[in-house]
Amino acid sequence: MSNVFIAFQKNEESRAIVSAILADNPGAVLSDQPAMVKIDVPHRLVVRKSTIEQEIGRDFDLQEMQVHLITMSGNVDETDDEFTLAWHQ
């Protein structure tokens, strides 16, 4: 099965999002590039609102993440509290 990935613009706000993703996805591999940060994860990547809020120190709407998003690969499942990328079989 292929990895899923998500990539963000490299800026201050996305740094907290990336830290939260790395905390919630133990198998994640970070690729830090000059203008973007890409995270590859085998099988399934989860973004939790609560973890981002801990990192950023304020309330966070997962829709805000899209402002910093460059690209992603995988099927998206989204609720108010979690954003998940996975390949459905």
Side-chain angles (χ1 to χ4, degrees):
M1 181 170 297
S2 297
N3 286 350
V4 294
F5 71 81
I6 194 164
F8 296 97
Q9 298 172 34
K10 195 170 185 178
N11 60 42
E12 189 60 37
E13 185 136 346
S14 65
R15 184 173 305 156
I17 297 167
V18 168
S19 292
I21 293 171
L22 294 174
D24 286 337
N25 296 275
V29 175
L30 179 69
S31 175
D32 193 353
Q33 299 173 17
M36 74 174 201
V37 178
K38 182 180 175 214
I39 303 168
D40 287 278
V41 181
H43 311 295
R44 182 176 181 268
L45 179 148
V46 64
V47 181
R48 290 187 179 93
K49 175 183 175 181
S50 60
T51 309
I52 294 173
E53 288 175 340
Q54 289 172 359
E55 290 286 333
I56 211 163
R58 66 169 176 83
D59 288 341
F60 187 83
D61 183 333
L62 283 177
Q63 300 266 330
E64 290 179 60
M65 184 175 70
Q66 310 238 358
V67 172
H68 310 286
L69 185 66
I70 294 173
T71 189
M72 63 186 151
S73 176
N75 298 112
V76 176
D77 288 316
E78 189 173 7
T79 67
D80 290 340
D81 299 317
E82 284 190 1
F83 179 94
T84 305
L85 287 174
W87 291 114
H88 298 298
Q89 298 179 348

